[in-house]
Amino acid sequence: MIQRATTLLLQLGMVAIALAVLPNKLFELDRYFVPKELVLHVVAVAVALLSVARAGSMTRGVADRLLLVFLAWSAASALFASNYWLAQRALGVSVSSAIIFWAARKMGVAGSYRPLMVAASLATVCAAVGALAQAYGLQSDYFSLNRAPGGTFGNRNFVAHFCAIGLPALMYWTATTRRSGAAWAGYLGTGVVAAALVLSRSRAAWLAIAVSAAAIALPLLASRRYWADRAIGSRLVRLTLAGVVGVGLAIFVPNRLNWRSDSPYLDSARAMVDYSKGSGRGRLAQYQHSLRMSVANPVFGVGPGNWPVRYVRFAPASDPSIAGDGTTANPWPSSDWVAFVSERGIVAALALAGVFAVLLIGMCRRWSELGDSEEVLIKVAALGTITSTVVVSAFDAALLLAAPAFLAWTVIGAASGAGTDGGETWTSSRVWRAASLTALICVTAISTVRSAMQSVAIVTVGTGGTRAGWNQAAAWDPGSYRINLRVAQLHASRGRCAAARAYARRALALLPSARAPRTVLSSCG
């Protein structure tokens, strides 16, 4: 019963997180991120409580212990953060993602990995459908005009990362399903995902697909003796053809996207590894300045989520990552790993890198012991997902964000657990196990409440037309720089300087480098 409930929660969570979005356009990033984080935390706390209900020993391998080190070091790093609100939010995503991974791995060990792979496939296709709908003219309050076609992710890069991570699961399910109708649905879904990836022009996603394809090519070739089983070989060929057709249709069928170039897709392909100019050069400069931040704070970094708080101290004003108001253009660097090193320290980053290394090595072992094509393809799916996740996260935010993190950790957990015994038994005391699980649940529960309050704050503001809505939102989400600043500006415009100063000081405490709160304070004397 508990196993079935956990599987269902993970399935619903993956689909829900692909679709979750709020219509309030004043919050162009958070109206996508906050509801997706809420889904992640709700599912994580639910499956964690189900784990408490299931008595028994904990099984922990090397990867699990390294993941615990990453979480513990991140928690210690959060104690030294300048902005505790950002630290709590970032730490919450990491803790909930780890809980999802462990829950999915348990389901994989128990043999319930196929339902999770089906749900991952459905979530990936749903994300791609949203992007295509926007690309071909569908207008909705749930879509953003900035960085189209982002669909229900609000940004073309984010939806592309999600699709790149989920594509191996979709290919696995299509190749192994026992129903021909489901296989044809998988071919169609593969074509849809391929088209969305092309239209996204996301270089990180394209590179992830290329590297992932190269990583799984040799295992597929080496295990070709299995493909006579259930005509899997012919399905893999059809999957490839479906992807090619999807790419062709995306390139040649007219869409509503306003690209500035006459050859946008070719230009993106050429610039995929070009770091001599444009955004590539900006990334190198950002990485260099973030490294200076790491050198200045080598042990625990600047705190989870606190990269935008401290980056401006280490970068010149001409840095393209810095906006005109003295804040960073984005709340994260253009790489998960740069964020982990600069925010949480080298130990945390190495521990997480070790998790992926151990899992990847584990997927490359014991191929001669595999019994049939099902076991081969689930390992191939794990290899593809791990590779895609690592590549995407190297060039953009993925593991820092709720949606791709949920998908990646679920698929990797389920696929790496399939056909194993889950690792060695952790023989620590019952008190220690209870304490660690209680700590994880507490962090996730706090994150759930915080995300719910942030969602209420966004809805309370509505269209931003009334001062009362902003004041109420500040009460619901006191850690929001944007809301506190806006309330301060509204009070200042009406001559209520006492209230304006109070909210301006709150905003300045959240982002000390920002100029706008100082402007409010100076206008009020």
Side-chain angles (χ1 to χ4, degrees):
M1 182 66 181
I2 293 177
Q3 178 179 325
R4 192 181 309 169
T6 301
T7 301
L8 182 60
L9 280 168
L10 293 173
Q11 286 180 298
L12 293 176
M14 276 187 286
V15 177
I17 210 166
L19 302 175
V21 59
L22 294 172
N24 309 84
K25 294 185 177 181
L26 288 173
F27 298 84
E28 272 304 338
L29 286 177
D30 277 347
R31 75 187 184 107
Y32 296 96
F33 294 159
V34 169
K36 294 181 189 301
E37 289 172 14
L38 181 58
V39 172
L40 170 67
H41 299 319
V42 167
V43 174
V45 75
V47 298
L49 291 173
L50 287 174
S51 296
V52 173
R54 173 188 287 181
S57 62
M58 298 173 67
T59 51
R60 292 289 180 265
V62 176
D64 305 289
R65 293 181 181 183
L66 286 171
L67 187 53
L68 282 171
V69 171
F70 168 73
L71 295 179
W73 205 273
S74 297
S77 171
L79 298 176
F80 300 95
S82 301
N83 186 323
Y84 286 114
W85 295 100
L86 291 178
Q88 178 275 320
R89 187 174 179 181
L91 179 63
V93 170
S94 295
V95 171
S96 292
S97 298
I99 292 173
I100 293 296
F101 168 72
W102 285 318
R105 201 169 191 195
K106 278 188 176 181
M107 297 305 100
V109 172
S112 298
Y113 57 89
R114 281 191 63 86
L116 297 182
M117 302 298 277
V118 172
S121 304
L122 179 59
T124 304
V125 174
C126 286
V129 168
L132 290 183
Q134 184 178 16
Y136 289 101
L138 179 63
Q139 298 180 357
S140 170
D141 288 339
Y142 297 97
F143 296 160
S144 173
L145 296 179
N146 298 324
R147 311 291 286 180
T152 55
F153 286 72
N155 185 300
R156 58 185 175 86
N157 290 302
F158 298 151
V159 72
H161 301 160
F162 192 87
C163 289
I165 291 170
L167 186 58
L170 175 60
M171 297 181 69
Y172 161 81
W173 171 67
T174 306
T176 60
T177 183
R178 293 168 176 80
R179 294 174 294 178
S180 59
W184 282 101
Y187 303 145
L188 177 60
T190 302
V192 167
V193 171
L197 284 167
V198 170
L199 292 174
S200 73
R201 293 184 62 194
S202 172
R203 288 169 288 179
W206 290 3
L207 186 61
I209 294 297
V211 175
S212 178
I216 67 175
L218 183 60
L220 284 174
L221 182 63
S223 56
R224 59 186 179 275
R225 64 189 178 91
Y226 293 99
W227 304 144
D229 180 31
R230 298 205 307 270
I232 287 180
S234 61
R235 287 189 176 181
L236 292 174
V237 173
R238 293 191 194 107
L239 274 168
T240 303
L241 291 175
V244 171
V245 171
V247 170
L249 290 175
I251 293 174
F252 295 108
V253 174
N255 56 61
R256 299 293 182 88
L257 301 175
N258 296 317
W259 301 129
R260 298 179 181 178
S261 170
D262 293 332
S263 54
Y265 310 110
L266 182 59
D267 291 345
S268 292
R270 287 171 176 167
M272 191 156 51
V273 292
D274 184 2
Y275 283 81
S276 62
K277 60 181 182 297
S279 61
R281 185 175 182 179
R283 284 173 186 260
L284 286 182
Q286 184 192 87
Y287 297 165
Q288 179 183 355
H289 300 144
S290 297
L291 180 60
R292 291 175 55 199
M293 187 192 311
S294 304
V295 172
N297 304 272
V299 180
F300 292 110
V302 298
N306 274 244
W307 179 85
V309 179
R310 302 287 291 276
Y311 181 77
V312 293
R313 301 182 186 180
F314 296 88
S318 59
D319 190 311
S321 296
I322 299 178
D325 61 349
T327 62
T328 56
N330 288 315
W332 55 79
S334 297
S335 169
D336 281 339
W337 299 100
V338 170
F340 291 139
V341 171
S342 61
E343 292 182 348
R344 312 183 192 202
I346 189 65
V347 172
L350 288 176
L352 187 60
V355 173
F356 285 101
V358 170
L359 292 173
L360 190 63
I361 292 171
M363 291 301 99
C364 295
R365 296 174 57 196
R366 299 180 179 177
W367 282 77
S368 60
E369 301 176 12
L370 300 179
D372 56 27
S373 57
E374 175 85 12
E375 295 181 11
V376 170
L377 284 176
I378 193 63
K379 289 177 74 72
V380 168
L383 278 172
T385 306
I386 293 171
T387 306
S388 294
T389 302
V390 170
V391 173
V392 164
S393 64
F395 296 99
D396 219 327
L399 298 174
L400 296 171
L401 306 182
F406 193 127
L407 180 67
W409 286 116
T410 302
V411 174
I412 293 171
S416 63
T420 70
D421 58 3
E424 59 189 86
T425 300
W426 191 9
T427 57
S428 58
S429 68
R430 181 177 301 179
V431 174
W432 170 251
R433 293 197 302 270
S436 59
L437 189 56
T438 300
L440 293 174
I441 292 175
C442 287
V443 172
T444 306
I446 291 171
S447 299
T448 303
V449 174
R450 171 86 193 283
S451 293
M453 293 175 68
Q454 287 178 291
S455 299
V456 173
I458 293 174
V459 173
T460 300
V461 169
T463 59
T466 63
R467 179 167 52 89
W470 285 100
N471 278 296
Q472 292 173 12
W476 282 107
D477 187 10
S480 170
Y481 164 80
R482 182 176 184 181
I483 292 176
N484 281 292
L485 174 61
R486 183 57 181 155
V487 174
Q489 291 170 335
L490 287 172
H491 282 300
S493 66
R494 289 165 173 78
R496 300 176 178 177
C497 281
R501 283 193 293 266
Y503 283 104
R505 291 190 184 105
R506 289 187 194 177
L508 193 60
L510 295 169
L511 284 180
S513 62
R515 299 193 187 101
R518 300 180 190 275
T519 301
V520 174
L521 290 172
S522 64
S523 68
C524 284

